[in-house]
Amino acid sequence: MSDEPLTFNQTVHAIAEFIEVAIHTILYVRQVYPAEIFVRRKKYETPVFQSRHPALNDYITGAVKAIADELVHGKIDKVVVVLKDKEQIALERYIFSIETMIQIEGFNKDVGVEDAMTPSSLMQYFRSFLIKLNMIEAQIGQMHMGDDLSFAIILELKDDAAPTHSNTKDPPPWIPAVTQHTTSGTTKQAELNMIRAVNTGIINLSLAVQESGEKIAREQQRRRPRKKTPVNDNNVEPKVQ
């Protein structure tokens, strides 16, 4: 792999590809779908799991393509993978925060950016992202949801930015999100756990997982010990000493 500094287009492609790998990893480690639909692969010199369900893969691939289109224009603030229950209540939000560090307009996007990270260094960062993501259960526990769990991919644009219009006849890839699924729908009870961050010098990326207030309240309720009623075999009221 080249030791020349990253170009803008290389960075966009690398981040979009990483987000796609991370989405598959989230779905596997949080058991959104049965382990049987995933196949073990290797990416960034570390084992990863990829869905082999055609419809699911089409949804993820289409979303990531739209994300890449917006990355090119520097419009993205956050990409959120929300895990939700059957009532569509957000339980966990995996937040990819994105910050474009260079002026995009009039910039040659295929020329290496001075002082930017090299492709090989970025791949090592992505490896560390995935290693920590694979260990997320040790940090925030299991979901205990069974078949009631689903997910959605949400794109949060910068203030006043509008989605880029496609030149094809295909319908727009995005629809308005449910507010409670987005980062603006977060309650004060939510807890944020940082996973990893990387500053490429072109586009900076961080990943965090946010446990919603609803999830935390349910976990507290689940852990609360149940009151036990004394058993009296003779159906006689116990005496108070």
Side-chain angles (χ1 to χ4, degrees):
M1 190 170 288
S2 172
D3 286 330
E4 295 295 319
L6 285 160
T7 70
F8 179 82
N9 282 339
Q10 282 178 325
T11 308
V12 167
H13 174 78
I15 289 176
E17 184 179 53
F18 166 72
I19 290 175
E20 183 168 13
V21 174
I23 291 170
H24 284 267
T25 301
I26 291 165
L27 300 182
Y28 176 78
V29 299
R30 300 313 278 157
Q31 301 175 12
V32 179
Y33 296 98
E36 293 76 25
I37 77 162
F38 293 87
V39 60
R40 185 184 173 100
R41 305 282 191 198
K42 193 171 185 181
K43 186 70 175 176
Y44 312 121
E45 299 181 357
T46 192
V48 297
F49 288 87
Q50 181 183 29
S51 160
R52 53 185 179 183
H53 190 285
L56 175 58
N57 291 356
D58 286 346
Y59 169 67
I60 295 172
T61 300
V64 170
K65 182 181 182 304
I67 289 167
D69 290 343
E70 301 300 345
L71 274 174
V72 167
H73 294 91
K75 293 183 177 182
I76 294 181
D77 183 43
K78 297 178 181 70
V79 176
V80 181
V81 178
V82 58
L83 306 189
K84 49 198 174 73
D85 65 12
K86 61 183 178 181
E87 279 82 34
Q88 303 299 303
I89 301 298
L91 302 176
E92 292 178 357
R93 302 177 185 91
Y94 290 80
I95 304 167
F96 299 83
S97 298
I98 292 166
E99 184 181 12
T100 303
M101 303 302 295
I102 63 174
Q103 181 65 37
I104 295 174
E105 298 302 324
F107 188 83
N108 189 331
K109 299 179 177 65
D110 290 312
V111 172
V113 177
E114 187 177 357
D115 296 328
M117 184 175 285
T118 64
S120 59
S121 294
L122 183 56
M123 296 306 105
Q124 290 302 309
Y125 270 94
F126 287 158
R127 179 177 181 271
S128 65
F129 270 84
L130 290 174
I131 289 172
K132 294 198 72 173
L133 192 55
N134 273 299
M135 299 171 62
I136 196 66
E137 185 176 301
Q139 187 174 357
I140 62 174
Q142 295 179 338
M143 288 293 283
H144 304 289
M145 290 296 296
D147 296 332
D148 293 337
L149 204 57
S150 62
F151 84 106
I153 301 170
I154 295 171
L155 186 63
E156 298 185 9
L157 300 181
K158 293 179 179 178
D159 292 341
D160 302 323
T164 302
H165 292 287
S166 172
N167 293 323
T168 70
K169 295 181 180 179
D170 295 334
W174 301 103
I175 60 173
V178 176
T179 301
Q180 198 265 344
H181 295 172
T182 68
T183 56
S184 62
T186 302
T187 63
K188 290 187 293 185
Q189 292 75 28
E191 294 183 1
L192 189 69
N193 302 275
M194 180 59 67
I195 295 176
R196 198 74 170 87
V198 58
N199 298 331
T200 69
I202 301 174
I203 300 174
N204 294 343
L205 174 71
S206 67
L207 173 59
V209 56
Q210 184 182 66
E211 298 177 274
S212 73
E214 290 81 359
K215 177 196 172 185
I216 291 170
R218 292 180 191 181
E219 287 294 311
Q220 290 172 344
Q221 180 67 30
R222 191 179 65 82
R223 295 192 189 105
R224 189 172 298 162
R226 297 179 181 178
K227 292 183 179 179
K228 295 183 179 180
T229 303
V231 176
N232 186 349
D233 292 336
N234 298 319
N235 294 321
V236 177
E237 288 285 280
K239 294 182 180 180
V240 178
Q241 299 294 326

